[in-house]
Amino acid sequence: MNVVGARPDGWWRDRTGAMVRLAASLDAFARDTGDAVTVIFDGRPRELEVERVDVRFATRRGPNAADDDIAALAGADDDPASLRVVTSDATLAERVAAAGARVVGAGEFRRRLDALAGEEHGDGGRSSES
């Protein structure tokens, strides 16, 4: 819940709602930028209605499940330098950078999503570590 947790807005009380909101923000981001977007969530699969985002759920349960899938995607990509992986987890950042992907901090990316949506949040851009 790296990007979700970048804003302490009570997301932990409604994880599904937080996933829905993030998926909608990512869908708008993909529409506005033309960028291909894939998001991998931890936890049980949920139905998230988006048009432009490849929504996936971790292939296993447990610690670092989504992180492992993200690192595997970066490692298997034919052009990892074209990838931007959004995370504030130092270990995941090291893993995907070693594969050749560029890392963007979750707080930084969340602020970009907010700017595209015309929102401002006074949380100081703090992000949680997963």
Side-chain angles (χ1 to χ4, degrees):
M1 301 301 274
N2 227 250
V3 177
V4 171
R7 180 181 309 126
D9 61 359
W11 63 265
W12 53 89
R13 290 187 297 266
D14 180 11
R15 289 176 182 257
T16 299
M19 289 177 182
V20 167
R21 288 187 300 277
L22 177 60
S25 292
L26 293 173
D27 206 40
F29 173 84
R31 180 194 64 232
D32 291 351
T33 65
D35 290 347
V37 176
T38 299
V39 62
I40 302 176
F41 291 110
D42 281 310
R44 69 173 173 76
R46 292 147 168 102
E47 194 65 37
L48 303 176
E49 295 185 29
V50 292
E51 296 177 22
R52 299 164 196 85
V53 177
D54 180 6
V55 176
R56 302 180 189 191
F57 288 85
T59 56
R60 66 172 178 80
R61 298 224 182 230
N64 301 316
D67 291 359
D68 290 346
D69 287 358
I70 293 165
L73 278 176
D77 197 90
D78 291 337
D79 184 17
S82 69
L83 301 177
R84 285 177 290 175
V85 176
V86 178
T87 186
S88 292
D89 181 277
T91 302
L92 177 58
E94 289 172 8
R95 292 171 68 189
V96 299
R102 188 171 68 124
V103 176
V104 177
E108 173 188 341
F109 186 72
R110 193 76 214 207
R111 288 186 297 277
R112 184 166 180 203
L113 289 179
D114 291 346
L116 283 173
E119 298 175 18
E120 297 222 5
H121 293 273
D123 62 27
R126 301 199 59 175
S127 60
S128 69
E129 299 295 320
S130 63

